[in-house]
Amino acid sequence: MNGTQISRLIGKILAGSWRALPPQLEVSDHELKKATPWLLQSGAGALAWRRVATSSLAISDAGMELQQAYRLHTLRALKHERYITRVLTLLHREGIEPILVKGWSVARLYPERGLRPYGDIDLCIAPADFARAERVLKNTEGSLSQVDLHCDFQKFDNRSWKSMYQRSVVAELEGVEVRMLCPEDQLQLLSFHFLREGAWRPLWLCDIALLLETRPESFLWPVAIKEGKRSDWLACSLLLAHQLLNANLDGVPSTMVSKRLPRWFVPCVLREWIKPSMPIRHRLPLHKSSLSPIETLNALRARWPNKIEGTVGVGGPFNEVPRLPFQMAHCFLRASKYLSLPI
């Protein structure tokens, strides 16, 4: 079984895993065994267990590995929830109201706790409050290293704080109010994040499928669909979720459904699922002087952007034009930023 076949198998196993009643799983013990290491590596092991749990494969070796991942993620989810409430309580006391993005704001939509693992707590802060929020958390006793503060939405979106905040919604977690993006902005942000990171995690595509299928009746597509390239990027994410995970596209505007994915797009995603470069980047940061020459070479090789990351990194369109110029331009921009060179 080659890499492309394993990647498609991953999609087959995860298809519909986010639903209240997931479809019956039809894979062999051998196929599940082949896919399990990649499912676990990508953080999708618990979602895979949800498909496996009601099948005869639940008692297989691979099935039991996936069940262990589900149990571990469930325990960690409880710990993360307490952590979130602690951080938000500290900020609320100082009159700071952040917007939580990704992580729990998505995990809460899954049918069970622990299906969607997450690590850092991503909080977007109003520009006027950002420096104060940093001081509050820095001066707090105990480790708050898992908090990732973002000034405004500069890292995720080009819309203003005011507009995003006005559309935001509030949920409750253990008696603490948690402000999150509205479903339209959430879908747009998750799509952008998935593509910007080179589409390397099938878990993130499951998030997109989940938001698509659980969107409320009041969902406003004109808010989710931005003008220009981001509209094109969102359409490609939704079509990809449909092709690889069988996500339901009912009710999606025809202008998006009629979009055709470039011929290179799906193969790029399938390659990334089986040979992701992002974990290597995190494991081998270039600023570490202790890296050996071989490790440095591997770190540099891992930082070559795939076709999707390169395109999004320079704000390019998804079309049939060769991707190499986009990838090279993205490398130049990243190198310039890393070396603090004027552009």
Side-chain angles (χ1 to χ4, degrees), residues 225-242:
I225 301 173
K226 291 186 169 186
E227 296 180 359
K229 299 182 184 71
R230 288 216 178 190
S231 172
D232 184 52
W233 296 347
L234 175 59
C236 287
S237 295
L238 299 183
L239 291 173
L240 183 70
H242 175 67

Side-chain angles (χ1 to χ4, degrees), residues 52 120-121 205 306:
V52 171
D120 291 345
I121 312 300
L205 191 60
N306 68 26

Side-chain angles (χ1 to χ4, degrees), residues 70-88:
Y70 167 70
R71 289 172 174 169
L72 178 61
H73 294 328
T74 301
L75 292 174
R76 285 180 175 172
L78 291 168
K79 180 181 178 182
H80 284 315
E81 288 174 8
R82 289 194 295 269
Y83 189 80
I84 291 170
T85 58
R86 180 191 174 203
V87 171
L88 291 180

Side-chain angles (χ1 to χ4, degrees), residues 108-174:
R108 71 187 184 93
L109 299 175
Y110 281 91
E112 299 176 43
R113 177 187 276 125
L115 291 179
R116 204 289 186 188
Y118 54 95
D120 291 345
I121 312 300
D122 288 280
L123 297 176
C124 292
I125 310 289
D129 294 330
F130 184 74
R132 189 155 54 98
E134 282 189 314
R135 287 196 298 272
V136 169
L137 298 184
K138 183 178 180 180
N139 296 332
T140 300
E141 292 184 6
S143 175
L144 292 175
S145 59
Q146 288 180 292
V147 181
D148 197 356
L149 292 182
H150 306 280
C151 184
D152 207 336
F153 292 96
Q154 296 173 4
K155 184 177 178 181
F156 304 108
D157 205 290
N158 55 11
R159 292 172 176 171
S160 69
W161 170 268
K162 182 179 179 180
S163 65
M164 301 282 271
Y165 185 88
Q166 287 176 339
R167 288 192 299 270
S168 65
V169 297
V170 175
E172 190 174 283
L173 175 61
E174 297 183 5

Side-chain angles (χ1 to χ4, degrees), residues 238-258:
L238 299 183
L239 291 173
L240 183 70
H242 175 67
Q243 283 197 25
L244 297 184
L245 301 177
N246 199 29
N248 191 333
L249 295 181
D250 290 349
V252 178
S254 58
T255 53
M256 306 196 78
V257 176
S258 61

Side-chain angles (χ1 to χ4, degrees), residues 32-340:
L32 183 64
K33 185 177 180 180
K34 280 287 187 181
T36 291
W38 309 108
L39 289 164
L40 294 172
Q41 174 183 280
S42 69
L47 276 175
W49 165 248
R50 197 153 191 276
R51 295 289 313 279
V52 171
T54 56
S55 74
S56 60
L57 296 174
I59 59 174
S60 67
D61 290 341
M64 294 179 71
E65 281 190 80
L66 297 173
Q67 184 184 37
Q68 285 298 101
Y70 167 70
R71 289 172 174 169
L72 178 61
H73 294 328
T74 301
L75 292 174
R76 285 180 175 172
L78 291 168
K79 180 181 178 182
H80 284 315
E81 288 174 8
R82 289 194 295 269
Y83 189 80
I84 291 170
T85 58
R86 180 191 174 203
V87 171
L88 291 180
T89 298
L90 288 170
L91 294 174
H92 288 170
R93 285 174 183 169
E94 299 297 323
I96 301 171
E97 189 171 18
I99 295 180
L100 176 70
V101 296
K102 304 187 298 174
W104 182 81
S105 68
V106 182
R108 71 187 184 93
L109 299 175
Y110 281 91
E112 299 176 43
R113 177 187 276 125
L115 291 179
R116 204 289 186 188
Y118 54 95
D120 291 345
I121 312 300
D122 288 280
L123 297 176
C124 292
I125 310 289
D129 294 330
F130 184 74
R132 189 155 54 98
E134 282 189 314
R135 287 196 298 272
V136 169
L137 298 184
K138 183 178 180 180
N139 296 332
T140 300
E141 292 184 6
S143 175
L144 292 175
S145 59
Q146 288 180 292
V147 181
D148 197 356
L149 292 182
H150 306 280
C151 184
D152 207 336
F153 292 96
Q154 296 173 4
K155 184 177 178 181
F156 304 108
D157 205 290
N158 55 11
R159 292 172 176 171
S160 69
W161 170 268
K162 182 179 179 180
S163 65
M164 301 282 271
Y165 185 88
Q166 287 176 339
R167 288 192 299 270
S168 65
V169 297
V170 175
E172 190 174 283
L173 175 61
E174 297 183 5
V176 177
E177 288 191 346
V178 184
R179 185 168 292 278
M180 305 164 296
L181 295 175
C182 69
E184 295 87 350
D185 289 333
Q186 180 88 303
L187 181 61
Q188 176 65 238
L189 182 144
L190 291 181
S191 168
F192 172 70
H193 178 261
F194 172 67
L195 298 173
R196 185 192 65 187
E197 299 294 310
W200 78 271
R201 291 188 80 180
L203 177 66
W204 291 340
L205 191 60
C206 289
D207 290 344
I208 293 170
L210 169 72
L211 261 69
L212 176 64
E213 293 192 1
T214 61
R215 69 188 188 276
E217 292 184 3
S218 58
F219 190 90
L220 299 174
W221 279 106
V223 175
I225 301 173
K226 291 186 169 186
E227 296 180 359
K229 299 182 184 71
R230 288 216 178 190
S231 172
D232 184 52
W233 296 347
L234 175 59
C236 287
S237 295
L238 299 183
L239 291 173
L240 183 70
H242 175 67
Q243 283 197 25
L244 297 184
L245 301 177
N246 199 29
N248 191 333
L249 295 181
D250 290 349
V252 178
S254 58
T255 53
M256 306 196 78
V257 176
S258 61
K259 166 75 180 178
R260 296 186 64 181
L261 293 174
R263 285 173 292 181
W264 53 266
F265 194 89
V266 172
C268 177
V269 174
L270 296 178
R271 281 195 300 271
E272 199 64 29
W273 282 8
I274 203 69
K275 292 184 178 180
S277 60
M278 286 294 176
I280 301 176
R281 298 185 195 182
H282 295 314
R283 190 169 68 249
L284 299 174
L286 285 176
H287 64 269
K288 277 195 173 182
S289 59
S290 60
L291 292 181
S292 68
I294 293 179
E295 287 177 326
T296 301
L297 182 61
N298 289 335
L300 289 171
R301 186 182 296 114
R303 281 161 175 76
W304 174 255
N306 68 26
K307 295 178 180 181
I308 294 173
E309 181 188 2
T311 301
V312 173
V314 296
F318 289 146
N319 53 32
E320 298 295 349
V321 173
R323 295 295 100 183
L324 183 59
F326 295 97
Q327 293 168 283
M328 293 178 66
H330 183 48
C331 279
F332 174 75
L333 288 174
R334 272 199 323 209
S336 299
K337 183 178 180 181
Y338 181 76
L339 299 172
S340 299

